[in-house]
Amino acid sequence: MTYYGRPRTAFLLILILVTLILIDISSYFLIGTVLLFAASLCRMQLTLDTEIFYRVTLFNFIIREVRISPKEMKEIQFKRVGWKKRGAAILREKGFPIHINNYNSQKVFDDLHNYAGRYSISVTSTKEYDHLIEGKASNGN
């Protein structure tokens, strides 16, 4: 299954643009704004198959591409992100963790949990995440 998402930078971008209008433009501030704008145009792709495939692109140029086999994963941590959203982090034996947030479908977390069970990967979750899941189950969502 393949999922798509975008980083959450729209609020910061609007805040910086309003600040640019109100104050004198500094070159470092302008460079930061351009980088933030570019980050808001990034697109993330996550594919769960026999391996996990994670790709970040900007205008169809690949910025980061990672393929992780179940043997390389130390654990998957499920966390609460924001008020009502779920998030996860895939911790690897070597290398940086992969953070799974802001995807179009929240079903990605259920599939990720099933993936961990299928390949016997350690799973941890925070109390806040468990409360979020319990609340969704009691509301029928």
Side-chain angles (χ1 to χ4, degrees), residues 33-57:
T33 303
V34 169
L35 291 176
L36 190 61
F37 181 70
S40 70
L41 297 175
C42 285
R43 186 172 172 185
M44 302 176 296
Q45 175 185 349
L46 179 75
T47 303
L48 300 175
D49 200 16
T50 55
E51 294 181 326
I52 291 181
F53 179 71
Y54 177 77
R55 176 186 286 170
V56 179
T57 58

Side-chain angles (χ1 to χ4, degrees), residues 16-17 20 25-37:
I16 287 177
L17 289 176
L20 277 175
I25 297 176
S26 165
S27 61
Y28 294 114
F29 202 68
L30 187 60
I31 291 170
T33 303
V34 169
L35 291 176
L36 190 61
F37 181 70

Side-chain angles (χ1 to χ4, degrees), residues 12-138:
L12 289 174
L13 183 62
I14 291 170
L15 185 66
I16 287 177
L17 289 176
V18 168
T19 307
L20 277 175
I21 292 169
L22 296 177
I23 64 169
D24 201 16
I25 297 176
S26 165
S27 61
Y28 294 114
F29 202 68
L30 187 60
I31 291 170
T33 303
V34 169
L35 291 176
L36 190 61
F37 181 70
S40 70
L41 297 175
C42 285
R43 186 172 172 185
M44 302 176 296
Q45 175 185 349
L46 179 75
T47 303
L48 300 175
D49 200 16
T50 55
E51 294 181 326
I52 291 181
F53 179 71
Y54 177 77
R55 176 186 286 170
V56 179
T57 58
L58 176 66
F59 300 122
N60 292 330
F61 294 108
I62 297 170
I63 296 173
R64 183 176 185 199
E65 188 174 77
V66 179
R67 190 175 300 270
I68 310 167
S69 69
K71 292 183 283 185
E72 295 175 32
M73 294 181 212
K74 191 178 349 179
E75 74 174 319
I76 299 176
Q77 295 177 342
F78 291 94
K79 303 174 183 181
R80 181 177 178 167
V81 178
W83 188 252
K84 288 186 172 181
K85 296 228 180 202
R86 299 188 276 173
I90 301 171
L91 303 179
R92 301 166 23 183
E93 294 292 335
K94 293 181 181 176
F96 293 108
I98 303 295
H99 295 278
I100 312 298
N101 301 323
N102 302 320
Y103 279 80
N104 295 340
S105 173
Q106 291 291 303
K107 189 177 179 291
V108 66
F109 303 107
D110 297 330
D111 288 346
L112 199 56
H113 201 278
N114 293 337
Y115 181 88
R118 190 173 356 154
Y119 292 104
S120 302
I121 300 168
S122 173
V123 172
T124 59
S125 62
T126 62
K127 270 196 278 186
E128 291 85 10
Y129 181 85
D130 294 336
H131 289 307
L132 183 65
I133 298 300
E134 290 169 6
K136 286 186 184 260
S138 67

